[in-house]
Amino acid sequence: MWSPKKKKDGSRNYFYDTMMQAMVGDLVMSFSDTRIKALGIVRAPAATAPKPTVFGNAGAHWSNEGWFVEVDYQELEKIIRPADHMDVLEALLPERYSPLQANGIGNQSVYLAELPEAMAHALGALIGAEYASLMRNANNASLDTLNENAEADVKERADIPETEKLQLIKARRGQGLFRSRVELLGEGCRLADVVERQHLRASHIKPWCLSTDGEKLEGDNGLLLSPHVDHLFDRGFISFSSDGTLLVSSHLAPNVLASWHLNKPIGSRKLVGQSKTSSWTTIDGIFSLGKATTKAR
């Protein structure tokens, strides 16, 4: 997405300022010709950039310097026209800076606006599975960014020795002291019948980026999982209750567990560190760090 920084007369525009509020992991609904035709995930915050040449003569009065926000878009198979659903949406429109009029037609002055959560969910329900899938990806993008920022912070710290920094960073990748401690507590993958250590990953229960230094290295904040099971756990498609019972997201395709021969767990084992595990259960791809914000463009 690209927008000017200011209006033609040099004054500020709320809908240009919102570009600076876009955060990695935010979900963007692309609205044109009265329809929502695509969804996108913000991949990088706003940065100063020249006006794209593809704009041609459009916005000839704009400055050549503006805000650029990197967004990965996915065109929708199920395109919706909000005007056809105003019996549901009208009551959910924001009082100020609404991207839609009461009749469902777009407000021409709007470029990028934040949607109320209820309105975003209502539009998402109309879009269906494609929205649910993108929301999971949006939340995971947020988590990935938090991990990267947290690692950068660890590298810059002056209050701990280099050897401790190394162990904290290794822990993010399931290595080092953290893995050794998890191995002392784990017998093997609790879904796949695999006990050989070289085929297992040490995965944090409470996300690494949100853990204290101690929690980053605690064995009872981790599980030994096969790589494909780790993928499902890390992305919130599966989780475990404090007594070890498998929890499955409603968004996981039914054939996945069967295809990977995970539909018959090798028995539920009570988890060590029950309080942490129950507090940081991830399911439906929504982590305790919060939901992604939805914006309309």
Side-chain angles (χ1 to χ4, degrees), residues 257-258 260-265:
L257 293 182
W260 285 351
H261 304 288
L262 302 175
N263 54 337
K264 294 181 179 180

Side-chain angles (χ1 to χ4, degrees), residues 78-222:
K78 184 180 180 181
I79 294 172
I80 66 167
R81 183 173 181 268
D84 296 334
H85 307 280
M86 293 313 294
D87 56 327
V88 173
L89 299 174
E90 184 176 4
L92 305 177
L93 297 177
E95 293 183 6
R96 298 183 65 193
Y97 306 127
S98 175
L100 298 176
Q101 302 175 42
N103 60 5
I105 302 302
N107 279 315
Q108 292 300 312
S109 62
V110 174
Y111 185 74
L112 182 68
E114 185 171 347
L115 299 181
E117 186 174 341
M119 180 180 175
H121 287 327
L123 288 168
L126 294 170
I127 294 169
E130 292 172 282
Y131 173 83
S133 176
L134 262 291
M135 279 300 292
R136 288 197 303 275
N137 291 339
N139 279 286
N140 289 330
S142 298
L143 185 65
D144 291 340
T145 299
L146 285 174
N147 275 321
E148 291 169 6
N149 292 341
E151 181 171 326
D153 290 342
V154 168
K155 291 178 179 178
E156 295 295 323
R157 287 174 60 179
D159 61 318
I160 56 176
E162 291 298 320
T163 52
E164 187 172 343
K165 289 183 186 180
L166 180 61
Q167 287 302 326
L168 292 174
I169 292 171
K170 281 188 172 182
R172 179 190 170 189
R173 295 162 176 76
Q175 300 171 356
L177 182 59
F178 168 69
R179 182 183 176 94
S180 298
R181 290 175 172 175
V182 175
E183 287 183 345
L184 289 174
L185 300 172
E187 303 170 11
C189 179
R190 59 185 51 245
L191 279 189
D193 191 12
V194 177
V195 295
E196 291 80 8
R197 297 295 200 245
Q198 67 267 32
H199 302 311
L200 298 174
R201 292 179 179 175
S203 183
H204 281 86
I205 297 171
K206 181 177 179 179
W208 180 88
C209 60
L210 301 180
S211 297
T212 65
D213 287 356
E215 290 170 337
K216 285 181 171 69
L217 301 175
E218 285 180 4
D220 62 3
N221 189 28

